[in-house]
Every structure is written in C-alpha cells, then in structure tokens.
Amino acid sequence: MSEQNEPTEPAEQTEQNGPRRHERARRFRRRRIVAIVAGSLALVLVAAGGIAVWKYLDLSNGIRRSAITMPTGTSTPGVAQNTGEANILVMGLDSRVDQDGKPLSQEIYDAIRAGDETNGGYNANVLMLIHIPAGGGKAVGISIPRDDYATLAGAPDGVEKSKIKEAYGLRMDEKLRELRKQGVGEAAAYQQARTAARQTQIQTVSDFLGGVRIDHFVEITMAAFYEVATAVQPITVCLNQATQDRFSGAHFPAGMQEIDASQAMSFVRQRRDTGPSDLELTDLDRTRRQQAFIVSLAVKLRQAQTFTDFGTMQKLIDTAKTYIALDDGFDLLSFAGQAQRLAGGNLSFQTLPIDHYETIDGQSVNIVDLDKIRSIVASLLNPPAESSAPPASAPPADSGATTEAPATPDTGGVPAPPTNTYTDSDSPLQAGAIPCVN
C-alpha cells in the first residue's frame, strides 16, 4: 500500500483539565508529531555561520526572534566558543504551520502523514535542555518526556497542572483571546501570543527542573524537520529489529539503512508496531528515535560535500528562516564553534525517568519523582571531575546495551559509519557514531 493510502495516526483522546478549555485549546493539543531537535539546528547554524559570513548574515537577519526574560537570570549574550557555559532549551512544536501561522505546502502535508493546518496545535512535544559546559567540556542533552505531569507557570487558561508540553498551547490561547479583546490586529496578536507562550513554556521547564537557569531557547516546528531531511537525504539510521506501523507509515528492516525525508518522518514519529513482530514500542522509544536521528543527521552533515553544495546550503538557511525561532540574545556566529564540537561527538543524550502512569482529569500522564528528577539534572549539569581510570571495555551486563550491531544490508560499496547499539531507552546515548535503536 502506498504511503498516501495509509491511514494517518488517530487523534488523541480529548483532554479536560479545567472549565476554560474550549475548542481552540483542544485543537492546540490534538495529535502528536515530533519536530527536528537540537543537534539538527546546531548543524544548520554551523553551515550558515561557518562557511561564509554573508551566509551567516543572511540567516541571522531573517530568523524569527523573541525578547524573552530568561528564568533565574538574564540571557547570556551569545555563547563564547569553547569557553562559555550555556543552557539552551529546545522546544519542538506539533504545529502544522510556519512561524507566521501560514499553512505548509501540500508536499509537506503528504509527507508527514499527519493532516494539515487544521490538525495538530502548539504543544511542545519535544523538550530538550542542551547543557554546554564551560571550557569545552562534554555537553549533554536532557530529554523531558512530554507527558510528565507538571505545574504550569502562571496557570495558563486557568490550568494549574497538566502535561508539561501543554504550557505553550494554553498560554498562547489565553494571550490570543486577551489581545483580540483589546482590538490588536490578528498578525500582531499571533506573534505576541507566541512570544508569551514561549515565556510560559520556558519558565515551566525551569521550575520543573528545580530552578535551572535557561540562557537561550530554540523553537522549531515539524516542517523544519522535513525540509532539513529533504536537503541532505539520504540519511543513515540503524534499527535493532524490523518494524512496521500503519499509522506513521514506518516499514523498516533490521540493521543499518539509508532513508529519505518521508521515511525519516515515519522513523521519528513511530511509537507502536502494528506488524507481525512482537515488538513493543512506547513514547520513550520514540524519544530515543529522536535522539538517534540527531546523531545520524550530525554524521551526514559532517560530510564535506554537504557544505560545499550551494543548493543544500541555501535550503538549510531558508528552512531556518521559515520554521525556527530564537531568543534575541542568541548569537549564531558565536554558537557555530560549539555546534562543530557537538556534531563531532562531544555530546550525549539522556531521558529523564518516569515513576509511573496515572489518569488525571481524563488524560493519561507520566508521574515523576521531582526530587529524583532534580537530583539527576543537578548531577548532569555539575558532573564530578573525570577519573583517570581507563574506560571499561564493555558495558555492564544489565545495562541493556550490546556491543554488536545488527546485520547490515548491502550499501553499494559505500563504507558504513561506525555504529553503537543501545537497546535500553533509559541508558545515555553517545553521539559520534550511528546508534541502533528499537
């Protein structure tokens, strides 16, 4: 069956958390979609800032900016290359529109298999804190599961607690109604509402993590993912097992393989297996897929030909200007050097743990141990000094990691990138080699 004839992923159950949630708020929270995340953006910025200054200026002058008051401190003026510490919050929205609220092309809607501009909304379905330590140390990406039950900063739309991802959409809805009552024009109201929504989502995450300082934000939409994947396809990924899913359109063999942009959408969206296997997938596996794709994209973008092709470069820059927003203190040129280090493997990813699941006000949520979460984050942001002992030659027996990758299909004589295999979605994922995931 063709991808166009496959069914789209069903809408999520309507969530009721308070009397002020109406149709717009519900539409903001319908259906899930992953957006491109930190590593991908970092490499786009490298491409824009590292090749030629005029290309950097083209991007910097055209990208959407928001004046945001950063939690527990003011915005850091840029990120000093290899010296300055910074915490960057990446927010990936499930919206099916661009940064001006305009519909995407039909090509993108067909490829993402998730409806059109009337679907989706403004949930921050990807939340990742990227910590860049001072002095060129090892960076870490901390993924926050989107359904973690959290206190929402300012109780937007009268909702004090809900899934952490919903802070953005609820505040945007609330602010839009306020501005419309004041007679503000629709275009201006839309941009002001998104700025307010960013502020609320950033503050909510900072509070959730125990008052973590956030210096900058990067906001990206799902269209950016598709456009970047289109510009650099094919991209190499690796799966531990063959899998199929009629909702996302996933149909992949086991092992290392090259996928195009449309397949990449299926790769990062899949959260179930509807094929003949007994593979069980969850949202945490999808989070691991997202992390793995960042690493795979970094491997592809490190190839020299990616940055010497003018058409590819221009497409990456145009994508950033159309689908990405930054705070007004984010210095792209300064960050380019940091991005090069991250792309080279000086970055690991970790997903925060979930204690158990509950149904609250009709919606399934993740219940977490906040003290444990904050302790983990504190240790990741302030790691102990590295030991001089040599690294272990193999992972612990109970870590869920294996040392051999699955069988690799014929790549037509092209040398395959090195692989690492991680079957445990809770274990840290190291950048620098293609990871095999579930």
Side-chain angles (χ1 to χ4, degrees), residues 9 12 31-34 125 146-147 165 248 265-272 281-292 425 438:
E9 191 158 357
E12 293 182 353
R31 307 183 63 204
R32 300 175 175 183
I33 187 71
V34 67
N125 272 358
R146 62 188 184 176
D147 292 341
K165 67 180 182 180
S248 66
M265 295 298 302
S266 298
F267 180 85
V268 297
R269 289 185 62 224
Q270 185 182 2
R271 60 187 174 93
R272 60 170 67 82
L281 299 176
T282 69
D283 253 3
L284 295 182
D285 290 303
R286 179 157 64 173
T287 297
R288 176 49 53 97
R289 291 270 194 104
Q290 296 165 9
Q291 296 168 346
S425 63
N438 290 334

Side-chain angles (χ1 to χ4, degrees), residues 82-93:
N82 298 327
T83 59
E85 178 182 272
N87 294 325
I88 304 170
L89 180 64
V90 179
M91 301 181 288
L93 304 187

Side-chain angles (χ1 to χ4, degrees), residues 41 233 246 290:
L41 174 73
Q233 64 184 345
R246 66 178 181 272
Q290 296 165 9

Side-chain angles (χ1 to χ4, degrees), residues 203-216:
Q203 188 65 59
T204 296
V205 170
S206 176
D207 294 343
F208 180 77
L209 299 181
V212 167
R213 189 191 79 251
I214 296 178
D215 302 302
H216 301 288

Side-chain angles (χ1 to χ4, degrees), residues 69-73 89 127 129 144 148-156 160-161 164 167 198-214 352 368-371 373-375 377 381:
T69 300
M70 293 299 170
T72 66
L89 180 64
L127 289 168
L129 184 73
I144 306 166
D148 284 1
Y149 197 59
T151 298
L152 307 186
E160 293 184 358
K161 299 194 73 173
I164 194 169
R198 291 161 186 151
Q199 182 76 66
T200 296
Q201 187 68 68
I202 291 168
Q203 188 65 59
T204 296
V205 170
S206 176
D207 294 343
F208 180 77
L209 299 181
V212 167
R213 189 191 79 251
I214 296 178
L352 295 179
V368 302
D369 182 334
L370 270 182
D371 289 339
I373 289 291
R374 291 166 179 174
S375 176
V377 171
L381 301 189

Side-chain angles (χ1 to χ4, degrees), residues 89-213:
L89 180 64
V90 179
M91 301 181 288
L93 304 187
D94 67 348
S95 70
R96 277 80 161 163
V97 295
D98 65 15
Q99 285 292 345
D100 293 318
K102 297 178 181 178
L104 309 176
S105 69
Q106 190 59 47
E107 174 192 359
I108 295 179
Y109 289 135
D110 290 342
I112 64 179
R113 299 167 50 82
D116 56 22
E117 70 273 17
T118 64
N119 300 110
Y122 293 86
N123 283 336
N125 272 358
V126 174
L127 289 168
M128 181 182 292
L129 184 73
I130 304 295
H131 172 68
I132 302 175
K138 191 177 186 64
V140 61
I142 305 172
S143 290
I144 306 166
R146 62 188 184 176
D147 292 341
D148 284 1
Y149 197 59
T151 298
L152 307 186
D157 259 350
V159 180
E160 293 184 358
K161 299 194 73 173
S162 190
K163 297 180 179 182
I164 194 169
K165 67 180 182 180
E166 296 183 343
Y168 193 113
L170 289 171
R171 177 55 178 149
M172 182 172 177
D173 171 62
E174 181 180 61
K175 188 65 174 180
L176 270 175
R177 289 187 289 104
E178 293 174 0
L179 294 170
R180 286 165 177 163
K181 286 182 180 179
Q182 297 169 12
V184 177
E186 193 64 24
Y190 180 83
Q191 295 301 334
Q192 291 179 41
R194 290 194 69 162
T195 294
R198 291 161 186 151
Q199 182 76 66
T200 296
Q201 187 68 68
I202 291 168
Q203 188 65 59
T204 296
V205 170
S206 176
D207 294 343
F208 180 77
L209 299 181
V212 167
R213 189 191 79 251

